[in-house]
Amino acid sequence: MSQIEIKKKSIGLVLSGGGIRGMAHIGLIKAMQEHDIEAEVISGTSVGALVGALYANGNSVEDMLQFFRETPLFQYNFFAINKPGFIDTDRYFSIFKGFFPENSFESLQKPLYVVATDLMRGLEKVFSEGELIHPLLASAALTPVFSPVEIDKTLYADGGIMNNFPKEYVDGKVDFVIGSNVSIAGEIGKKDLKNSLQLAGRVTGLMIYAASHKKLDECDLFIEPLELEKIGVLDKKGIEKAYQIGYDHGSRALESLLIEK
């Protein structure tokens, strides 16, 4: 496929959850922009929803990275009191308001679909209109670290519980789908399964990966950088490295695709 051919197509972008590893999504977006490719419709879960919202809002790649550099993960005055979870997710509202002052899906430059989990009904919930910030907070509320977010008397949490790669919401709306999965479930050693917490994390990761991977293969182009496994999900020191990994993989994937025939 030539660069001219892909530019004639409408593009959808699907971004998975995966914590700090999601900075690879920003690297992919940088590579897309360098190839003059822009997505028209975006869907995302957890960190993928946050990156997708910043992209749909027209923020630059540097602005996106700065958002994650500046947003604290474990700040003492953010600890939850009388709420499930260690960190009070609602304390992030004012930080998000600085980036999304109009606080609405309608204020974004591109359609965005944000997936969260309805904890009370055990259902997947997609948000695409109305208030923006609370759905973003809910989608990224990784349990049990962050408290659930209440929207219309319902408690919502991390969208990755139900759907970590929400490709369904761009299907049928575009001609060409680009996906980025940063929830990797590669091979590990016995030393990584020494306690119950490690075991639970591994099993959860495998379940999420299995549910996502078939949809990833259905994308017209996708990246899934295995090197991201070495970056902790909540390790802010990995921001720059994850971004660079995503950029490198995105650049190679696009260059491979856009060879003139």
Side-chain angles (χ1 to χ4, degrees):
M1 181 181 295
S2 71
Q3 190 156 339
I4 294 174
E5 287 172 327
I6 194 171
K7 285 181 180 179
K8 291 180 180 178
K9 295 179 179 291
S10 56
I11 308 292
L13 182 62
V14 186
L15 305 174
S16 79
I20 293 301
R21 297 171 182 175
M23 301 306 95
H25 298 325
I26 304 177
L28 170 62
I29 289 169
K30 174 66 172 176
M32 289 169 57
Q33 291 176 341
E34 287 185 351
H35 286 83
D36 200 22
I37 294 171
E38 287 286 338
E40 296 177 26
V41 182
I42 306 134
S43 67
T45 293
S46 197
V47 69
L50 301 184
V51 172
L54 291 164
Y55 178 48
N57 195 47
N59 291 91
S60 68
V61 163
E62 183 55 35
D63 282 345
M64 295 182 208
L65 288 170
Q66 201 60 26
F67 172 86
F68 291 99
R69 292 184 191 120
E70 292 178 355
T71 301
L73 284 179
F74 301 108
Q75 190 162 302
Y76 74 93
N77 60 337
F78 279 26
F79 284 115
I81 300 174
N82 298 323
K83 281 186 176 184
F86 300 113
I87 305 295
D88 185 350
T89 310
D90 286 325
R91 297 299 296 271
Y92 290 89
F93 185 91
S94 60
I95 296 173
F96 280 46
K97 193 72 159 57
F99 282 82
F100 306 105
E102 295 185 48
N103 189 19
S104 72
F105 280 89
E106 289 75 15
S107 68
L108 301 176
Q109 298 174 11
K110 307 170 187 283
L112 173 69
Y113 296 86
V114 170
V115 172
T117 297
D118 180 337
L119 291 174
M120 298 166 72
R121 298 178 181 84
L123 298 172
E124 174 183 332
K125 170 69 175 180
V126 62
F127 296 90
S128 61
E129 58 185 20
E131 186 195 357
L132 174 66
I133 294 176
H134 276 110
L136 289 177
L137 290 171
S139 183
L142 176 67
T143 55
V145 177
F146 297 98
S147 65
V149 175
E150 184 171 343
I151 302 173
D152 296 330
K153 299 182 179 180
T154 297
L155 293 176
Y156 293 96
D158 187 7
I161 299 169
M162 301 297 290
N163 188 350
N164 200 51
F165 191 74
K167 177 176 175 286
E168 301 90 329
Y169 302 107
V170 303
D171 285 341
K173 299 180 177 69
V174 295
D175 304 319
F176 193 93
V177 177
I178 298 175
S180 177
N181 179 42
V182 299
S183 291
I184 312 299
E187 185 175 349
I188 62 174
K190 287 183 180 179
K191 64 179 176 60
D192 299 309
L193 294 171
K194 286 184 176 179
N195 58 53
S196 298
L197 188 60
Q198 288 176 324
L199 180 62
R202 176 62 171 172
V203 171
T204 301
L206 289 171
M207 291 170 63
I208 289 173
Y209 183 77
S212 302
H213 206 260
K214 182 177 183 295
K215 292 188 287 183
L216 193 70
D217 286 334
E218 294 170 354
C219 292
D220 298 290
L221 178 76
F222 71 87
I223 66 167
E224 187 181 50
L226 296 181
E227 304 96 302
L228 292 171
E229 273 192 304
K230 298 176 182 178
I231 297 174
V233 171
L234 296 176
D235 182 8
K236 290 188 70 174
K237 293 179 181 177
I239 286 177
E240 312 303 329
K241 184 176 181 180
Y243 165 74
Q244 189 63 46
I245 289 171
Y247 174 75
D248 292 342
H249 277 257
S251 296
R252 287 197 296 268
L254 289 165
E255 285 162 10
S256 175
L257 177 75
L258 300 175
I259 295 173
E260 296 280 355
K261 294 183 178 179

